[in-house]
Amino acid sequence: MRSRLVRTLYVLGLTVSAAAVAVPAQARDVKFNVPFTFVVNGETLPPGTYEVTSELSVLLVRGYDHGAAVVTARAEFRGERDPSLLFNRYGDRYILVEAWMGGDSGRVLPTSRLERQLIETARRESAGNAAGRFVIRAR
């Protein structure tokens, strides 16, 4: 009975160790210098240096005094992609929409209520409130 318990614990230990090695580390901190005010999940963050981390489905954006967290969806890119942040721009408002931590995967943020409002406003005022994309590369 005792040897069976020891054997079971041994196999369980090997299984957990193998699983830990097989799962790639998803948490990786990347620093970005963002030169403008931007919005993440309803939080307005001032210009500055931010550390961005992706853990499981949560993206953390942390600055010296400010930060935000958002549940995201996984995005894949065929090939390698440098660490970068992708923003949608509506006039002078910037909304974070994608975060790429390097390699072939990134995180896509859900469309916020604010962004849906800005999209609607841009449609109505198509001439004066131009929408665009802006990319920030890692420092």
Side-chain angles (χ1 to χ4, degrees):
M1 174 82 168
R2 183 174 184 180
S3 65
R4 185 175 180 178
L5 177 63
V6 169
R7 214 176 352 199
T8 302
L9 289 174
Y10 178 74
V11 170
L12 181 63
L14 285 176
T15 304
V16 169
S17 297
V21 170
V23 175
Q26 292 190 8
R28 179 176 174 210
D29 294 345
V30 181
K31 289 190 178 186
F32 296 92
N33 187 22
V34 182
F36 46 78
T37 299
F38 64 104
V39 178
V40 177
N41 196 28
E43 293 288 326
T44 301
L45 304 177
T49 300
Y50 289 89
E51 193 170 270
V52 178
T53 304
S54 175
E55 294 186 36
L56 300 176
S57 62
V58 177
L59 184 73
L60 301 170
V61 180
R62 296 179 302 237
Y64 181 72
D65 285 335
H66 301 84
V70 62
V71 176
T72 60
R74 181 177 166 86
E76 293 188 17
F77 183 77
R78 293 184 190 257
E80 293 288 315
R81 191 162 186 175
D82 292 332
S84 59
L85 299 177
L86 178 64
F87 298 86
N88 282 343
R89 181 181 57 82
Y90 304 92
D92 62 348
R93 309 279 307 262
Y94 292 85
I95 310 288
L96 180 63
V97 294
E98 293 181 14
W100 295 88
M101 307 305 286
D104 65 349
S105 67
R107 307 305 304 175
V108 176
L109 286 71
T111 304
S112 66
R113 179 180 300 156
L114 171 63
E115 186 169 17
R116 286 191 296 272
Q117 291 170 347
L118 291 170
I119 290 169
E120 187 58 36
T121 301
R123 281 187 192 139
R124 283 183 294 195
E125 304 171 1
S126 60
N129 198 9
R133 292 216 150 182
F134 195 83
V135 176
I136 299 284
R137 306 255 185 249
R139 296 184 354 161

